[in-house]
Amino acid sequence: MQVRGIRGAITVEVNEEQPILQATVELLNSIVKVNGIVPTDIASVFVTVTGDLDATFPARAIRAMGGWELVPLMCALEVPVKGSLEKCIRLMVLVNTDKTQEQVEHVYLGGAKALRPDLAKA
């Protein structure tokens, strides 16, 4: 078994608590579903947001999900590169898995599909 990183990102329209929390749950649920993982498979989740999202901690949404209470979470700010995608939440889910790197499915939703069009599903 190996530790693999699963990337994901999603954008929100406004810097408000509920849209940020809802988008975080949507993104994490999508990552979990397409990769067939459960919280006990998770080593940790690293969450970043762009500097324009300061209404809440996205990790609050994950912590409130059933079964995720013991998963280590960390939030941070993205590097503020001029011209980069705004209002974006990114996840790096570190998972214990037998999947190969090629079998891992990364998830990009909403405006975040522009970050990795090669990995984003239509």
Side-chain angles (χ1 to χ4, degrees):
M1 186 163 296
Q2 307 231 0
V3 176
R4 299 278 183 209
I6 304 174
R7 290 275 296 140
I10 191 170
T11 53
V12 293
E13 296 294 318
V14 293
N15 179 29
E16 294 176 4
E17 181 178 17
Q18 287 309 307
I20 292 169
L21 296 176
Q22 290 167 354
T24 303
V25 169
E26 178 184 354
L27 178 58
L28 184 57
N29 281 336
S30 294
I31 290 171
V32 166
K33 182 179 179 181
V34 301
N35 287 286
I37 55 178
V38 295
T40 55
D41 294 335
I42 307 296
S44 64
V45 179
F46 189 59
V47 183
T48 66
V49 294
T50 50
D52 50 7
L53 295 180
D54 61 4
T56 191
F57 293 102
R60 282 186 49 224
I62 300 170
R63 184 70 59 228
M65 295 169 62
W68 289 84
E69 300 85 359
L70 300 177
V71 175
L73 306 172
M74 176 71 71
C75 288
L77 285 175
E78 275 293 322
V79 177
V81 176
K82 291 180 184 178
S84 62
L85 186 62
E86 297 178 347
K87 295 184 180 71
C88 187
I89 302 161
R90 292 173 173 90
L91 300 181
M92 172 68 79
V93 180
L94 298 175
V95 60
N96 298 303
T97 183
D98 289 322
K99 288 186 176 189
T100 65
Q101 195 72 9
E102 294 77 19
Q103 292 172 315
V104 168
E105 291 190 50
H106 306 280
V107 177
Y108 293 86
L109 303 173
K113 288 178 181 179
L115 294 171
R116 289 297 305 263
D118 57 320
L119 297 178
K121 304 283 185 205

